[in-house]
Amino acid sequence: VILYHHPANGYWVGEVNNEDKAPICASVDGKTGVGDPGGACQACALNRFGSGEDGKSKACKNMRHLYLLRSDEFMPIMLYLPPTSLRPFNDFMNAAFLYRNRASYGSVVEITLRREEKPTPHAVANFRLLQDFTGSDLEKLKAMVVTFRDP
């Protein structure tokens, strides 16, 4: 169950696969960066296509943080989606929740990975709606989300 999700950004200097190191600039809301250069992400030159080392991508990595409640667990986990999975996530959220006027916590979702080879090997998240919650189950999840989001 996707309890909550929000945008996040991170800027690392150097190698692409250095996420084990802290970014020199990060945004937990996708709007305001803290660090160097910091400030409004929307106005930042590093958050523009063409600013990446390849001259096409963004130097700042746009991500999405998902807070998931897995079956038979009481504490949610946090999963971050890389840029390659943002479009599949947005398309899924629109079809499964927005167009049906449902909250993301109102359904059971399956998340799998698909391997892609180009331009370099990477995984892309796939999403599938499995079942909707109704009645008291939906109300329990709603109460949990309110507590989780607004402690």
Side-chain angles (χ1 to χ4, degrees), residues 39-77:
C41 294
Q42 188 174 18
C44 183
L46 298 173
N47 196 26
R48 303 251 187 285
F49 285 105
S51 62
E53 290 181 7
D54 62 1
K56 298 177 184 176
S57 63
K58 294 181 177 186
C60 184
K61 184 176 181 180
N62 300 144
M63 301 169 283
R64 193 108 191 144
H65 289 183
L66 308 182
Y67 300 87
L68 306 172
L69 184 62
R70 298 186 298 181
S71 299
D72 300 321
E73 293 187 6
F74 298 102
M75 288 293 292
I77 63 166

Tab-separated table of all heavy atoms in Angstrom, residues 39-77:
chain	number	residue	atom	x	y	z
A	39	GLY	N	18.677	26.430	-2.659
A	39	GLY	CA	17.683	27.370	-3.173
A	39	GLY	C	16.540	26.693	-3.890
A	39	GLY	O	16.300	25.496	-3.744
A	40	ALA	N	15.817	27.473	-4.664
A	40	ALA	CA	14.625	26.997	-5.372
A	40	ALA	C	15.018	26.034	-6.493
A	40	ALA	O	15.734	26.403	-7.420
A	40	ALA	CB	13.852	28.177	-5.944
A	41	CYS	N	14.537	24.805	-6.412
A	41	CYS	CA	14.874	23.774	-7.409
A	41	CYS	C	14.373	24.159	-8.802
A	41	CYS	O	15.040	23.894	-9.798
A	41	CYS	CB	14.288	22.432	-6.999
A	41	CYS	SG	15.003	21.758	-5.494
A	42	GLN	N	13.207	24.771	-8.880
A	42	GLN	CA	12.631	25.121	-10.170
A	42	GLN	C	13.514	26.112	-10.934
A	42	GLN	O	13.592	26.064	-12.150
A	42	GLN	CB	11.235	25.702	-9.977
A	42	GLN	CG	10.489	25.913	-11.268
A	42	GLN	CD	9.060	26.361	-11.032
A	42	GLN	OE1	8.700	26.822	-9.959
A	42	GLN	NE2	8.237	26.222	-12.045
A	43	ALA	N	14.211	26.988	-10.207
A	43	ALA	CA	15.046	28.000	-10.859
A	43	ALA	C	16.502	27.563	-11.010
A	43	ALA	O	17.289	28.263	-11.638
A	43	ALA	CB	14.998	29.299	-10.046
A	44	CYS	N	16.868	26.400	-10.475
A	44	CYS	CA	18.258	25.957	-10.461
A	44	CYS	C	18.708	25.477	-11.841
A	44	CYS	O	18.034	24.670	-12.492
A	44	CYS	CB	18.440	24.836	-9.442
A	44	CYS	SG	20.154	24.287	-9.279
A	45	ALA	N	19.869	25.953	-12.261
A	45	ALA	CA	20.432	25.561	-13.557
A	45	ALA	C	20.759	24.071	-13.608
A	45	ALA	O	20.746	23.466	-14.679
A	45	ALA	CB	21.681	26.382	-13.855
A	46	LEU	N	21.053	23.450	-12.454
A	46	LEU	CA	21.392	22.027	-12.409
A	46	LEU	C	20.156	21.140	-12.567
A	46	LEU	O	20.269	19.937	-12.766
A	46	LEU	CB	22.108	21.700	-11.103
A	46	LEU	CG	23.441	22.423	-10.904
A	46	LEU	CD1	23.983	22.171	-9.504
A	46	LEU	CD2	24.440	21.999	-11.958
A	47	ASN	N	18.967	21.734	-12.466
A	47	ASN	CA	17.716	20.994	-12.605
A	47	ASN	C	17.108	21.221	-13.994
A	47	ASN	O	15.910	21.156	-14.179
A	47	ASN	CB	16.736	21.412	-11.507
A	47	ASN	CG	15.587	20.434	-11.352
A	47	ASN	OD1	15.706	19.264	-11.668
A	47	ASN	ND2	14.471	20.922	-10.856
A	48	ARG	N	17.954	21.473	-14.970
A	48	ARG	CA	17.520	21.684	-16.351
A	48	ARG	C	18.116	20.589	-17.240
A	48	ARG	O	19.265	20.200	-17.052
A	48	ARG	CB	18.020	23.030	-16.880
A	48	ARG	CG	17.596	24.218	-16.079
A	48	ARG	CD	16.579	25.035	-16.841
A	48	ARG	NE	16.248	26.290	-16.189
A	48	ARG	CZ	15.470	26.410	-15.116
A	48	ARG	NH1	14.999	25.353	-14.528
A	48	ARG	NH2	15.179	27.596	-14.618
A	49	PHE	N	17.314	20.125	-18.201
A	49	PHE	CA	17.845	19.173	-19.166
A	49	PHE	C	18.991	19.834	-19.918
A	49	PHE	O	18.922	21.000	-20.280
A	49	PHE	CB	16.762	18.697	-20.134
A	49	PHE	CG	15.815	17.709	-19.516
A	49	PHE	CD1	14.535	18.097	-19.155
A	49	PHE	CD2	16.215	16.409	-19.278
A	49	PHE	CE1	13.664	17.194	-18.571
A	49	PHE	CE2	15.353	15.488	-18.690
A	49	PHE	CZ	14.073	15.891	-18.337
A	50	GLY	N	20.073	19.080	-20.089
A	50	GLY	CA	21.270	19.592	-20.735
A	50	GLY	C	22.372	19.937	-19.749
A	50	GLY	O	23.504	20.169	-20.137
A	51	SER	N	22.046	19.962	-18.440
A	51	SER	CA	23.053	20.293	-17.429
A	51	SER	C	23.868	19.079	-16.982
A	51	SER	O	24.883	19.219	-16.324
A	51	SER	CB	22.404	20.943	-16.207
A	51	SER	OG	21.482	20.053	-15.592
A	52	GLY	N	23.437	17.868	-17.345
A	52	GLY	CA	24.156	16.655	-16.964
A	52	GLY	C	25.451	16.494	-17.727
A	52	GLY	O	25.689	17.168	-18.743
A	53	GLU	N	26.287	15.585	-17.260
A	53	GLU	CA	27.591	15.368	-17.879
A	53	GLU	C	27.484	14.926	-19.335
A	53	GLU	O	28.382	15.184	-20.126
A	53	GLU	CB	28.392	14.348	-17.076
A	53	GLU	CG	28.845	14.879	-15.733
A	53	GLU	CD	29.655	13.862	-14.945
A	53	GLU	OE1	29.984	12.787	-15.481
A	53	GLU	OE2	29.961	14.160	-13.782
A	54	ASP	N	26.377	14.268	-19.690
A	54	ASP	CA	26.198	13.814	-21.080
A	54	ASP	C	25.644	14.913	-21.981
A	54	ASP	O	25.485	14.715	-23.181
A	54	ASP	CB	25.300	12.586	-21.136
A	54	ASP	CG	23.889	12.862	-20.620
A	54	ASP	OD1	23.586	14.010	-20.225
A	54	ASP	OD2	23.082	11.908	-20.602
A	55	GLY	N	25.314	16.064	-21.397
A	55	GLY	CA	24.778	17.177	-22.174
A	55	GLY	C	23.306	17.052	-22.511
A	55	GLY	O	22.745	17.904	-23.180
A	56	LYS	N	22.661	15.974	-22.062
A	56	LYS	CA	21.236	15.753	-22.345
A	56	LYS	C	20.401	15.705	-21.077
A	56	LYS	O	19.313	16.259	-21.025
A	56	LYS	CB	21.042	14.447	-23.126
A	56	LYS	CG	21.705	14.427	-24.482
A	56	LYS	CD	21.524	13.073	-25.134
A	56	LYS	CE	22.278	13.005	-26.448
A	56	LYS	NZ	22.204	11.678	-27.052
A	57	SER	N	20.907	15.013	-20.073
A	57	SER	CA	20.151	14.797	-18.843
A	57	SER	C	20.268	15.997	-17.897
A	57	SER	O	20.889	17.004	-18.226
A	57	SER	CB	20.663	13.539	-18.146
A	57	SER	OG	22.020	13.721	-17.778
A	58	LYS	N	19.674	15.836	-16.719
A	58	LYS	CA	19.785	16.850	-15.669
A	58	LYS	C	20.940	16.472	-14.746
A	58	LYS	O	21.121	15.298	-14.421
A	58	LYS	CB	18.508	16.914	-14.831
A	58	LYS	CG	17.291	17.394	-15.578
A	58	LYS	CD	16.107	17.431	-14.618
A	58	LYS	CE	14.863	17.961	-15.264
A	58	LYS	NZ	13.779	18.112	-14.280
A	59	ALA	N	21.689	17.452	-14.271
A	59	ALA	CA	22.742	17.188	-13.290
A	59	ALA	C	22.116	16.824	-11.950
A	59	ALA	O	22.636	15.993	-11.212
A	59	ALA	CB	23.645	18.412	-13.151
A	60	CYS	N	20.992	17.441	-11.634
A	60	CYS	CA	20.271	17.149	-10.399
A	60	CYS	C	19.313	15.985	-10.667
A	60	CYS	O	18.565	15.994	-11.637
A	60	CYS	CB	19.492	18.380	-9.934
A	60	CYS	SG	18.661	18.146	-8.357
A	61	LYS	N	19.358	15.010	-9.798
A	61	LYS	CA	18.565	13.799	-9.984
A	61	LYS	C	17.183	13.981	-9.357
A	61	LYS	O	17.060	14.154	-8.150
A	61	LYS	CB	19.312	12.627	-9.320
A	61	LYS	CG	18.684	11.295	-9.496
A	61	LYS	CD	19.578	10.235	-8.863
A	61	LYS	CE	19.024	8.854	-9.027
A	61	LYS	NZ	19.905	7.857	-8.420
A	62	ASN	N	16.132	13.954	-10.192
A	62	ASN	CA	14.754	14.011	-9.706
A	62	ASN	C	14.315	12.613	-9.336
A	62	ASN	O	14.465	11.683	-10.123
A	62	ASN	CB	13.819	14.583	-10.763
A	62	ASN	CG	14.186	15.989	-11.178
A	62	ASN	OD1	14.045	16.331	-12.334
A	62	ASN	ND2	14.655	16.823	-10.269
A	63	MET	N	13.765	12.469	-8.140
A	63	MET	CA	13.346	11.172	-7.635
A	63	MET	C	11.949	11.290	-7.035
A	63	MET	O	11.377	12.360	-6.979
A	63	MET	CB	14.324	10.687	-6.561
A	63	MET	CG	15.754	10.559	-7.037
A	63	MET	SD	16.924	10.292	-5.686
A	63	MET	CE	17.072	11.942	-5.010
A	64	ARG	N	11.426	10.200	-6.561
A	64	ARG	CA	10.160	10.182	-5.836
A	64	ARG	C	10.348	9.246	-4.659
A	64	ARG	O	10.854	8.138	-4.819
A	64	ARG	CB	9.046	9.660	-6.743
A	64	ARG	CG	7.702	9.894	-6.183
A	64	ARG	CD	7.023	10.988	-6.981
A	64	ARG	NE	5.829	11.407	-6.297
A	64	ARG	CZ	5.420	12.645	-6.274
A	64	ARG	NH1	6.084	13.573	-6.908
A	64	ARG	NH2	4.338	12.974	-5.643
A	65	HIS	N	9.972	9.684	-3.464
A	65	HIS	CA	10.036	8.837	-2.277
A	65	HIS	C	8.657	8.248	-2.025
A	65	HIS	O	7.670	8.990	-1.961
A	65	HIS	CB	10.489	9.630	-1.057
A	65	HIS	CG	11.930	10.007	-1.110
A	65	HIS	ND1	12.562	10.670	-0.099
A	65	HIS	CD2	12.891	9.805	-2.052
A	65	HIS	CE1	13.829	10.866	-0.404
A	65	HIS	NE2	14.044	10.357	-1.593
A	66	LEU	N	8.597	6.921	-1.901
A	66	LEU	CA	7.348	6.220	-1.611
A	66	LEU	C	7.442	5.620	-0.218
A	66	LEU	O	8.452	5.010	0.133
A	66	LEU	CB	7.104	5.084	-2.604
A	66	LEU	CG	7.177	5.369	-4.094
A	66	LEU	CD1	6.849	4.112	-4.878
A	66	LEU	CD2	6.260	6.487	-4.471
A	67	TYR	N	6.390	5.776	0.551
A	67	TYR	CA	6.301	5.150	1.868
A	67	TYR	C	5.293	4.027	1.738
A	67	TYR	O	4.106	4.260	1.506
A	67	TYR	CB	5.900	6.176	2.925
A	67	TYR	CG	6.906	7.291	2.995
A	67	TYR	CD1	6.810	8.405	2.177
A	67	TYR	CD2	8.009	7.185	3.838
A	67	TYR	CE1	7.765	9.405	2.208
A	67	TYR	CE2	8.971	8.186	3.870
A	67	TYR	CZ	8.838	9.293	3.054
A	67	TYR	OH	9.794	10.280	3.084
A	68	LEU	N	5.791	2.807	1.850
A	68	LEU	CA	5.010	1.617	1.561
A	68	LEU	C	4.738	0.818	2.816
A	68	LEU	O	5.625	0.616	3.643
A	68	LEU	CB	5.762	0.723	0.578
A	68	LEU	CG	6.223	1.358	-0.727
A	68	LEU	CD1	7.113	0.395	-1.492
A	68	LEU	CD2	5.026	1.770	-1.564
A	69	LEU	N	3.518	0.331	2.925
A	69	LEU	CA	3.164	-0.606	3.990
A	69	LEU	C	3.010	-1.963	3.325
A	69	LEU	O	2.136	-2.159	2.475
A	69	LEU	CB	1.857	-0.189	4.670
A	69	LEU	CG	1.453	-1.044	5.863
A	69	LEU	CD1	2.509	-0.958	6.972
A	69	LEU	CD2	0.101	-0.606	6.382
A	70	ARG	N	3.896	-2.882	3.696
A	70	ARG	CA	3.875	-4.208	3.095
A	70	ARG	C	2.996	-5.147	3.904
A	70	ARG	O	2.711	-4.903	5.070
A	70	ARG	CB	5.301	-4.761	3.004
A	70	ARG	CG	6.177	-3.893	2.116
A	70	ARG	CD	7.541	-4.459	1.866
A	70	ARG	NE	8.309	-4.587	3.090
A	70	ARG	CZ	9.543	-5.046	3.150
A	70	ARG	NH1	10.150	-5.429	2.050
A	70	ARG	NH2	10.179	-5.135	4.290
A	71	SER	N	2.578	-6.223	3.282
A	71	SER	CA	1.702	-7.211	3.921
A	71	SER	C	2.277	-7.689	5.234
A	71	SER	O	3.477	-7.972	5.342
A	71	SER	CB	1.505	-8.419	3.002
A	71	SER	OG	0.906	-8.023	1.804
A	72	ASP	N	1.433	-7.771	6.245
A	72	ASP	CA	1.776	-8.306	7.570
A	72	ASP	C	2.877	-7.523	8.272
A	72	ASP	O	3.586	-8.091	9.112
A	72	ASP	CB	2.167	-9.793	7.470
A	72	ASP	CG	1.033	-10.633	6.908
A	72	ASP	OD1	-0.133	-10.362	7.262
A	72	ASP	OD2	1.303	-11.554	6.124
A	73	GLU	N	3.056	-6.243	7.928
A	73	GLU	CA	4.028	-5.405	8.625
A	73	GLU	C	3.313	-4.196	9.204
A	73	GLU	O	2.268	-3.779	8.707
A	73	GLU	CB	5.154	-4.976	7.683
A	73	GLU	CG	6.019	-6.147	7.249
A	73	GLU	CD	7.249	-5.733	6.460
A	73	GLU	OE1	7.515	-4.523	6.334
A	73	GLU	OE2	7.945	-6.631	5.970
A	74	PHE	N	3.886	-3.643	10.276
A	74	PHE	CA	3.254	-2.524	10.960
A	74	PHE	C	3.965	-1.198	10.717
A	74	PHE	O	3.410	-0.148	10.963
A	74	PHE	CB	3.192	-2.790	12.466
A	74	PHE	CG	2.363	-4.004	12.790
A	74	PHE	CD1	2.972	-5.209	13.107
A	74	PHE	CD2	0.984	-3.942	12.745
A	74	PHE	CE1	2.212	-6.330	13.393
A	74	PHE	CE2	0.216	-5.058	13.016
A	74	PHE	CZ	0.830	-6.252	13.354
A	75	MET	N	5.205	-1.263	10.264
A	75	MET	CA	5.978	-0.052	9.991
A	75	MET	C	6.187	0.081	8.489
A	75	MET	O	6.579	-0.883	7.827
A	75	MET	CB	7.355	-0.116	10.678
A	75	MET	CG	7.309	0.031	12.180
A	75	MET	SD	6.779	1.663	12.685
A	75	MET	CE	8.142	2.660	12.146
A	76	PRO	N	5.952	1.265	7.952
A	76	PRO	CA	6.197	1.447	6.521
A	76	PRO	C	7.686	1.492	6.204
A	76	PRO	O	8.509	1.782	7.077
A	76	PRO	CB	5.538	2.799	6.213
A	76	PRO	CG	5.386	3.484	7.510
A	76	PRO	CD	5.384	2.436	8.582
A	77	ILE	N	8.002	1.190	4.974
A	77	ILE	CA	9.373	1.319	4.481
A	77	ILE	C	9.395	2.462	3.472
A	77	ILE	O	8.355	2.838	2.923
A	77	ILE	CB	9.901	0.023	3.828
A	77	ILE	CG1	9.069	-0.337	2.590
A	77	ILE	CG2	9.947	-1.110	4.827
A	77	ILE	CD1	9.714	-1.381	1.706
